[in-house]
Amino acid sequence: MDIKRVKDSIYWLYYQYLLITCSYVLEPWEQSMFHTITVTVFAMVVYTAYVFVPIHVRLAFEFFSQIFGGQPESTV
Amino acid sequence: MANPSAVCNGHLHHHHHQKQNNLLKSGIYKKNGITKGMKKNGISNGTLYKKTFIEHFEQAPMYVAVLTFLGFGVGTVFGYLRDFMRAWGLEKRNVAAEREQQKDFVPLYQDFENFYTRNLYMRIRDNWNRPICSVPGPQFDLMERVTDDYNWTFRFTGRTIKNVINMGSYNYLGFAETDVNALKTVTIELQKYGTGICSTRQEMGTLDKHIELEKLVAKFLGVEDAMVFGMGFATNSMNIPALVGKGCLILSDELNHTSLVLGARLSGATIRIFKHNNMQSLEQLLRDAIIYGQPRSRRAWRKIIILVEGIYSMEGSIVRLPEIVSLKKKYKAYLYLDEAHSIGAVGATGRGVVEYFGMSPDDVDVLMGTFTKSFGAAGGYIAGKKDLVDFLRTHSHSAVYATSMCPPVAEQIIRAMKCLMGLDGTTQGLQRVRQLGKNTRYFRRRLHEMGFIIYGNDDSPVVPLLLYMPGKIGAFARRMLEKNIGVVVVGFPATPITESRARFCVSAAHTREMLDTVLNALDELGDFLHLKYSRYSKSSHPELYEETRLELED
């Protein structure tokens, strides 16, 4: 029963994606092409985020903590 | 007296935007601070509008507009791809194309309209032009058709889909019926006159039936005389050229029907457009017309005529007739009112917007309407003063060249009108009008409560439900048909490109059960397709609703 609800909600999300991007009206081969492109772009976005975002966040954190927290160190 | 609504509302920004996030645009504004303002100035808008005028044109959240454009973008990209494949012979060409010998001529099919038709409309074309095979009453039968090549060609399977609930026909009073008792007089006339007239009004096509019908129409509307024509579209397009010509000015609403636009263009008069139902825009145009006159010679305009409709069929909005009549009297213009959808459908006894606002039919110079919608027949009429109608009898293109209305159809209109006026001895007509009003209010109220965005006036039986995204147009219509409900969906070019909608026409013949079936189906489908965009859905506690509205106003 739970599996069915999960499957239904996944199908609903997939259907929303089809409606929003207007790929509901496309023929099957056009849909496959569109899905491939979308999945590729999405995978690239996820990969970039995974590789680069933690490093950038850490560097930004260090930069800002140097401005605010670094002052007591320099006066001593 | 210049701007009655400006005095009443107190929010000047309110008038310049027709569509905004306010839910109510009322002539009589029911809000605490504003009623005080009304009393201070001593002028109240209550004398112009005898009842509240509530129209909704809610804007959807911003993400909806963004996603709509995204959807159209994807469709356009794939459209270019398919056009490329068709041009290079990678795909079979089913489209209209020029012949080989014409390839060096000016291209015929390059503009956006043709691109849109080829690539976007064709994909969901199975939702339109569905052949029906029964009378379009509250329920009808559809012929089932399938397509093997993605809507380029259709074939009929031979089956009929029975008892589909009809939410698309303009059958407002339910006179499209096959009941033998109701059609008795029509059968008699059919056997007496046959079906063909074979002549125009001015030659040998004026029958005693036409005289009887014209007298009845004049009596129904409360005017001096009327003239009937065989086709509703032709009534507009052939009679406006007879009434105005060069040197006249036509002020036409933004969203007027094609028949009015065609008639205005054919007449040769100058046409200026004012924003939809916007009285400030109309007044500005009138003032400019009178101050500056004709473009180069600065002479006064021979005639200034204002073209409006009673109910606009794509928006469901009702014209602001009291304000237009006061403007017309002040600036000495003429008013042409096209009551195609409103005759029979609004008003306490079904006499149209003139009765709905409690005004006298003498205020409107030319009353036009059609018999196609509320009377279950075909044809149109123009009514007004006797001088006007006599002029049209001699000068209208329709009278000279078009075949007149055929007698059984005229008899159908006569029996429907007699029923409405109560002349057949029953109260059936009045019951139908009341039932339509009840159905309209119930349907609209439930849809608002569910959270859909609905356009238009609370009293108009035309209910547009906004869909916005192009992908949802096809999905909505197909799924409703699977649930045995027939709806009409509309997209570009009949509506603005981002505001595609499903248009429901409530009928007096719909029973409460049918409406409930439709509403439940809409509820389910609204959740499944995520169509409930309204941010101001009414709950069952009106006091709370009033409070939230006050917050949003500020």
Side-chain angles (χ1 to χ4, degrees):
Chain A
M1 197 55 216
D2 274 321
I3 299 287
K4 185 168 192 320
R5 275 195 22 214
V6 166
K7 276 206 319 208
D8 276 345
S9 63
I10 293 183
Y11 177 72
W12 184 81
L13 282 172
Y14 170 66
Y15 198 71
Q16 293 305 306
Y17 156 76
L18 281 184
L19 287 177
I20 287 173
T21 56
C22 193
S23 48
Y24 171 84
V25 303
L26 300 174
E27 296 177 21
W29 61 272
E30 288 169 333
Q31 272 193 357
S32 329
M33 187 159 65
F34 184 72
H35 291 333
T36 322
I37 297 176
T38 315
V39 167
T40 317
V41 168
F42 185 69
M44 290 197 284
V45 165
V46 165
Y47 174 74
T48 312
Y50 174 72
V51 169
F52 288 107
V53 165
I55 299 179
H56 282 276
V57 163
R58 191 167 60 83
L59 287 174
F61 180 68
E62 281 178 6
F63 176 73
F64 281 111
S65 66
Q66 218 177 28
I67 293 184
F68 296 121
Q71 286 182 345
E73 294 168 35
S74 57
T75 53
V76 166
Chain B
M1 197 25 205
N3 275 328
S5 18
V7 167
C8 159
N9 279 332
H11 285 299
L12 279 179
H13 77 272
H14 180 85
H15 316 297
H16 299 306
H17 305 290
Q18 206 56 19
K19 295 170 198 236
Q20 48 185 341
N21 284 335
N22 297 332
L23 189 54
L24 294 196
K25 269 171 16 148
S26 45
I28 298 176
Y29 211 71
K30 290 190 172 85
K31 194 182 154 183
N32 291 336
I34 302 304
T35 46
K36 274 193 255 168
M38 274 165 66
K39 287 195 194 115
K40 261 189 248 171
N41 285 333
I43 308 169
S44 119
N45 207 9
T47 51
L48 216 47
Y49 286 89
K50 296 188 179 76
K51 52 166 115 170
T52 54
F53 187 87
I54 306 177
E55 284 198 336
H56 313 276
F57 289 102
E58 191 185 335
Q59 254 190 353
M62 179 63 81
Y63 73 88
V64 173
V66 171
L67 293 176
T68 311
F69 280 115
L70 169 71
F72 273 111
V74 169
T76 314
V77 164
F78 276 98
Y80 279 126
L81 175 70
R82 297 295 292 271
D83 273 351
F84 172 77
M85 288 172 54
R86 275 189 276 258
W88 282 81
L90 295 167
E91 189 191 341
K92 189 163 83 87
R93 265 173 243 193
N94 285 322
V95 293
E98 300 107 321
R99 293 201 316 254
E100 275 309 311
Q101 300 94 316
Q102 290 175 324
K103 284 294 180 194
D104 292 326
F105 285 48
V106 174
L108 290 174
Y109 302 110
Q110 254 187 8
D111 57 347
F112 181 67
E113 292 259 344
N114 284 303
F115 174 81
Y116 180 85
T117 310
R118 270 198 306 268
N119 296 311
L120 286 161
Y121 173 74
M122 277 295 172
R123 295 184 195 269
I124 42 176
R125 194 166 78 118
D126 58 307
N127 298 311
W128 289 282
N129 304 326
R130 293 182 182 144
I132 69 175
C133 48
S134 74
V135 66
Q139 288 179 325
F140 59 174
D141 302 334
L142 280 182
M143 296 175 74
E144 196 191 20
R145 56 177 189 171
V146 292
T147 173
D148 303 313
D149 51 359
Y150 300 105
N151 293 343
W152 288 100
T153 56
F154 293 103
R155 64 182 166 85
F156 296 107
T157 59
R159 277 186 46 218
T160 49
I161 311 175
K162 295 234 174 265
N163 289 336
V164 179
I165 298 182
N166 184 359
M167 296 304 293
S169 291
Y170 308 130
N171 187 17
Y172 298 131
L173 292 176
F175 279 118
E177 53 195 355
T178 45
D179 180 29
V180 179
N181 288 330
L183 294 180
K184 237 188 328 207
T185 46
V186 180
T187 330
I188 296 172
E189 299 302 324
L190 178 60
Q191 284 171 341
K192 180 172 166 197
Y193 289 100
T195 51
I197 297 265
C198 313
S199 185
T200 67
R201 281 300 291 263
Q202 285 196 357
E203 290 178 9
M204 290 207 287
T206 303
L207 307 178
D208 51 352
K209 272 277 159 251
H210 296 134
I211 312 291
E212 188 189 337
L213 175 57
E214 285 169 4
K215 287 211 179 73
L216 191 62
V217 170
K219 190 166 153 203
F220 178 68
L221 296 169
V223 289
E224 287 177 20
D225 202 359
M227 180 173 182
V228 299
F229 303 93
M231 183 178 163
F233 187 100
T235 310
N236 271 334
S237 54
M238 295 292 114
N239 286 304
I240 298 180
L243 293 172
V244 290
K246 269 182 96 156
C248 303
L249 178 64
I250 294 183
L251 298 174
S252 142
D253 189 292
E254 206 179 14
L255 299 176
N256 268 340
H257 190 251
T258 315
S259 55
L260 290 163
V261 172
L262 187 60
R265 287 184 189 167
L266 278 176
S267 66
T270 312
I271 308 174
R272 302 215 174 128
I273 316 270
F274 63 93
K275 297 208 181 66
H276 177 59
N277 240 359
N278 188 331
M279 297 300 111
Q280 285 72 32
S281 171
L282 177 59
E283 180 159 21
Q284 189 59 40
L285 283 180
L286 277 166
R287 292 175 84 93
D288 283 343
I290 292 182
I291 293 171
Y292 295 112
Q294 298 191 28
R296 272 168 306 160
S297 60
R298 295 286 191 226
R299 289 193 200 156
W301 293 101
R302 279 176 45 209
K303 249 183 268 195
I304 302 181
I305 193 165
I306 306 175
L307 294 183
V308 284
E309 291 187 37
I311 291 185
Y312 292 90
S313 60
M314 274 305 150
E315 310 283 311
S317 50
I318 297 185
V319 65
R320 292 176 183 274
L321 197 61
E323 291 177 56
I324 292 193
V325 168
S326 66
L327 277 177
K328 138 186 132 79
K329 286 186 177 149
K330 178 175 175 186
Y331 293 104
K332 311 259 187 320
Y334 296 103
L335 181 57
Y336 183 108
L337 180 64
D338 176 347
E339 289 205 86
H341 285 267
S342 54
I343 191 73
V346 289
T349 57
R351 281 161 166 82
V353 277
V354 172
E355 189 191 25
Y356 176 75
F357 286 111
M359 308 183 63
S360 140
D362 297 327
D363 291 331
V364 182
D365 301 291
V366 188
L367 283 157
M368 177 265 169
T370 61
F371 300 116
T372 328
K373 280 91 185 183
S374 302
F375 297 96
Y381 66 86
I382 289 199
K385 297 257 175 327
K386 191 164 189 320
D387 304 330
L388 169 75
V389 180
D390 284 343
F391 177 82
L392 280 179
R393 284 192 213 276
T394 37
H395 288 88
S396 159
H397 298 279
S398 219
V400 183
Y401 296 110
T403 319
S404 43
M405 191 184 274
C406 84
V409 172
E411 180 55 36
Q412 155 75 5
I413 303 167
I414 291 175
R415 77 123 185 137
M417 225 174 235
K418 282 192 175 152
C419 180
L420 258 188
M421 293 164 77
L423 292 175
D424 59 344
T426 68
T427 53
Q428 206 196 61
L430 208 51
Q431 275 174 4
R432 283 179 193 249
V433 176
R434 296 235 173 95
Q435 183 65 35
L436 176 64
K438 269 202 295 221
N439 283 354
T440 307
R441 280 190 293 276
Y442 175 67
F443 198 67
R444 275 182 173 266
R445 180 176 60 84
R446 285 287 304 273
L447 284 178
H448 272 299
E449 278 170 13
M450 285 185 204
F452 292 102
I453 295 187
I454 309 286
Y455 273 9
N457 193 301
D458 272 345
D459 285 318
S460 102
V462 177
V463 186
L465 190 155
L466 273 284
L467 299 172
Y468 295 107
M469 295 174 204
K472 297 194 182 179
I473 304 175
F476 185 81
R478 284 176 198 151
R479 284 194 179 246
M480 287 298 268
L481 189 59
E482 277 166 30
K483 293 186 200 276
N484 241 21
I485 301 171
V487 297
V488 170
V489 284
V490 207
F492 182 80
T495 64
I497 198 159
T498 43
E499 291 174 12
S500 46
R501 55 199 76 174
R503 185 184 63 176
F504 297 99
C505 293
V506 183
S507 161
H510 284 134
T511 59
R512 190 50 82 97
E513 290 80 36
M514 284 185 217
L515 288 182
D516 282 336
T517 320
V518 175
L519 286 163
N520 291 334
L522 280 175
D523 203 2
E524 257 185 71
L525 211 52
D527 288 327
F528 189 67
L529 295 178
H530 195 56
L531 288 173
K532 300 187 177 176
Y533 298 119
S534 176
R535 286 171 288 185
Y536 312 120
S537 58
K538 267 194 238 179
S539 63
S540 45
H541 302 284
E543 321 83 49
L544 291 175
Y545 167 64
E546 290 282 312
E547 278 169 20
T548 48
R549 189 165 51 85
L550 286 174
E551 284 162 30
L552 293 162
E553 281 298 314
D554 302 314

